[in-house]
Amino acid sequence: MGKVGLISLLYLSLCLVLSGCWDRKEVNDLAIIVGAAIDEGKEDPILLSLLFMVTSGGTAGSSMGSQSNETQQQEVLMSVEGKTIADAVSKMQEKLSRRIFWGHNRVIIFGEKLAKKGIKEHIDFFVRHPETRLRAFTFISKGEGHTLLETEPVLEESRAEMLRELMELDIAIKVPIKELMSLLSKEGENAVIPWIETAELTPEKPEKGYRLNGLAVISNGKMIDKLTQKESRGLMWIQDKIEQATITVQPNEEEKPVTMIHLHAKTDLKAKVENGEPIVYLKIHTEDDVLQNASKINLLDEKAVKALEKQVAQEISSYIDLVLNRVQKELQVDALGFSDAFLRADPKWWKSVEKEWDEIFPTIKVEKDIIVFVRRQGMVTEPSGIPKEELKEK
């Protein structure tokens, strides 16, 4: 056999082992899930609601008389009951001509009633299924979760995209299904999940959007309570989850408020055992810009700025006190991550008290050191529209 024959034989051999795209799935053959809600069913334990992005190819005529192919998309919401999520998915697949595809799912919403009964067993489906996205954001909804997927999208084309973009604003703690799975896989571990509800955009119009209104506290896989907005803000300060957030303070009862934005916020949490007593030290450092000065305070005055910095520090401290009182004293559930901090700081001590942690957690002392710097006062340093002779200095 000559050289040319050998090369030809090699090419033929390669063709035999190359698989090509034998398992390729056309978009028009898929029912693409972009959002999922799990609620308590009426007849079966689970009511599964799936939001599909249905894509179809069509031919549209242009103004010049020519034709062009356009991809058209629409959202379709379907619900079905089942004994488990997998059972409900199977029942739904029987009604669809396209194969259900989880690879683009963005959000998973657990209804309030179902969350109070427990979500741990339902997370198992998303962990085992080979197509589910472990980066999908999780929520606990006020009322039933499917009602959020029924809300007409505003500004975005998709309801699921609205929820995803809301989380990307960094105004609440992000909890992907992967992180939630990791937290709840530990015995007795606790977690917090963003609490979501519908909200009217304007009183005059019926359109509704979404509102992140606190955090749901999960203990042993079940929702036990909900934190308010201020309590949630305190928890975010403790866990170093503050990205960009505003804070409004009122210099005194006679003055109007001043609003600032946290540009660089950092929390350093250290756990120590001193003389047998567990203590958590919080060192918080934040650099702020003034967004609006509605008061008569002159921000060129150094004493006035120092007074504002002190007041902002007191406001941050009050948020932390609120969540400590709620979580430590009332709920007595470590949703703050203190257990992990002590495990890292003193593994030997932690091992000796691990079984009694539920009794120890409410007694832990928390020391705070909060430093605030107002770096920039904005484009103008004096309040607009106020005569100079009326400006106040502290």
Side-chain angles (χ1 to χ4, degrees):
M1 184 181 294
K3 186 176 181 181
V4 175
L6 287 172
I7 294 174
S8 300
L9 182 61
L10 178 60
Y11 279 135
L12 289 172
S13 301
L14 288 173
C15 290
L16 291 174
V17 298
L18 290 176
S19 59
C21 297
W22 61 272
D23 62 343
R24 183 184 66 180
K25 295 292 183 181
E26 297 291 345
V27 174
N28 290 349
D29 296 331
L30 300 177
I32 300 173
I33 299 171
V34 292
I38 303 98
D39 292 297
E40 189 179 28
K42 293 182 180 179
E43 297 181 2
D44 288 321
I46 297 299
L47 173 65
L48 176 68
S49 301
L50 298 179
L51 184 66
F52 295 100
M53 182 67 73
V54 181
T55 304
S56 60
T59 303
S62 67
S63 59
M64 299 298 291
S66 62
Q67 292 184 336
S68 61
N69 291 328
E70 291 185 355
T71 300
Q72 299 175 346
Q73 293 183 337
Q74 61 175 336
E75 287 185 332
V76 176
L77 181 63
M78 293 186 64
S79 299
V80 68
E81 292 190 5
K83 294 181 174 60
T84 63
I85 295 178
D87 181 46
V89 171
S90 298
K91 290 180 179 179
M92 191 175 294
Q93 183 65 81
E94 294 173 357
K95 302 177 182 180
L96 296 174
S97 60
R98 300 186 180 192
R99 186 175 74 83
I100 293 176
F101 180 67
W102 286 90
H104 290 285
N105 184 36
R106 296 181 175 92
V107 295
I108 300 169
I109 305 169
F110 296 100
E112 183 178 359
K113 287 184 179 179
L114 180 108
K116 289 179 178 178
K117 286 191 172 182
I119 62 174
K120 200 170 183 177
E121 62 185 89
H122 308 303
I123 295 174
D124 183 79
F125 170 81
F126 297 101
V127 175
R128 294 181 185 274
H129 198 288
E131 289 179 353
T132 54
R133 295 183 65 184
L134 296 181
R135 292 181 297 172
F137 293 129
T138 57
F139 301 88
I140 302 291
S141 72
K142 179 181 180 181
E144 296 185 321
H146 68 83
T147 59
L148 273 81
L149 297 181
E150 295 168 359
T151 304
E152 289 299 320
V154 180
L155 298 181
E156 305 291 345
E157 294 183 356
S158 166
R159 303 167 179 90
E161 188 66 15
M162 284 175 61
L163 288 166
R164 191 190 71 82
E165 291 290 347
L166 193 60
M167 292 306 300
E168 294 293 352
L169 293 175
D170 293 321
I171 57 178
I173 291 178
K174 298 176 184 176
V175 185
I177 191 72
K178 181 179 180 180
E179 182 178 329
L180 183 60
M181 167 196 70
S182 176
L183 285 172
L184 299 184
S185 64
K186 303 175 185 178
E187 185 67 29
E189 191 63 54
N190 309 299
V192 290
I193 304 177
W195 175 270
I196 190 80
E197 55 191 50
T198 57
E200 292 185 358
L201 298 178
T202 57
E204 298 81 11
K205 296 182 179 180
E207 287 89 348
K208 290 186 178 181
Y210 299 129
R211 181 189 181 195
L212 291 168
N213 191 23
L215 294 167
V217 180
I218 309 296
S219 180
N220 294 316
K222 298 180 181 180
M223 174 183 167
I224 60 171
D225 212 330
K226 172 187 171 293
L227 301 181
T228 66
Q229 285 278 40
K230 289 187 176 182
E231 290 166 349
S232 300
R233 182 67 62 87
L235 185 143
M236 291 175 70
W237 275 112
I238 291 173
Q239 295 189 351
D240 193 25
K241 296 292 180 66
I242 294 289
E243 296 294 336
Q244 284 198 14
T246 60
I247 188 166
T248 300
V249 295
Q250 192 167 351
N252 54 60
E253 294 181 358
E254 300 176 357
E255 288 292 347
K256 292 184 178 180
V258 178
T259 299
M260 283 167 277
I261 183 171
H262 306 302
L263 291 181
H264 305 286
K266 177 66 178 176
T267 299
D268 184 18
L269 186 154
K270 289 186 178 180
K272 291 185 179 181
V273 180
E274 299 178 357
N275 298 321
E277 180 184 8
I279 302 175
V280 168
Y281 292 95
L282 295 176
K283 187 172 183 179
I284 296 174
H285 180 279
T286 175
E287 298 182 9
D288 295 13
D289 276 5
V290 176
L291 284 180
Q292 184 176 357
N293 180 16
S295 71
K296 296 180 179 180
I297 293 177
N298 184 1
L299 296 178
L300 279 177
D301 180 60
E302 185 177 351
K303 291 182 179 180
V305 173
K306 291 294 182 184
L308 279 178
E309 291 173 345
K310 183 178 180 180
Q311 195 165 4
V312 171
Q314 291 172 346
E315 191 75 4
I316 295 172
S317 180
S318 70
Y319 292 156
I320 295 172
D321 289 340
L322 282 173
V323 75
L324 288 176
N325 182 67
R326 185 68 179 283
V327 175
Q328 269 194 299
K329 308 305 179 186
E330 295 180 19
L331 301 180
Q332 297 187 356
V333 169
D334 183 8
L336 305 174
F338 285 179
S339 59
D340 288 338
F342 280 100
L343 173 61
R344 292 190 301 267
D346 195 336
K348 185 177 180 181
W349 179 85
W350 166 254
K351 189 175 181 180
S352 67
V353 302
E354 184 177 3
K355 294 183 179 180
E356 293 80 33
W357 182 247
D358 289 342
E359 290 75 34
I360 294 174
F361 172 71
T363 67
I364 293 175
K365 186 178 179 181
V366 179
E367 298 283 353
K368 294 168 290 182
D369 180 16
I370 304 173
I371 302 172
V372 178
F373 290 104
V374 175
R375 293 301 188 191
R376 292 181 290 272
Q377 292 81 21
M379 297 297 291
V380 293
T381 55
E382 298 176 354
S384 302
I386 298 177
K388 289 187 176 181
E389 57 270 15
E390 294 185 18
L391 296 181
K392 294 183 179 180
E393 296 182 355
K394 285 195 175 184

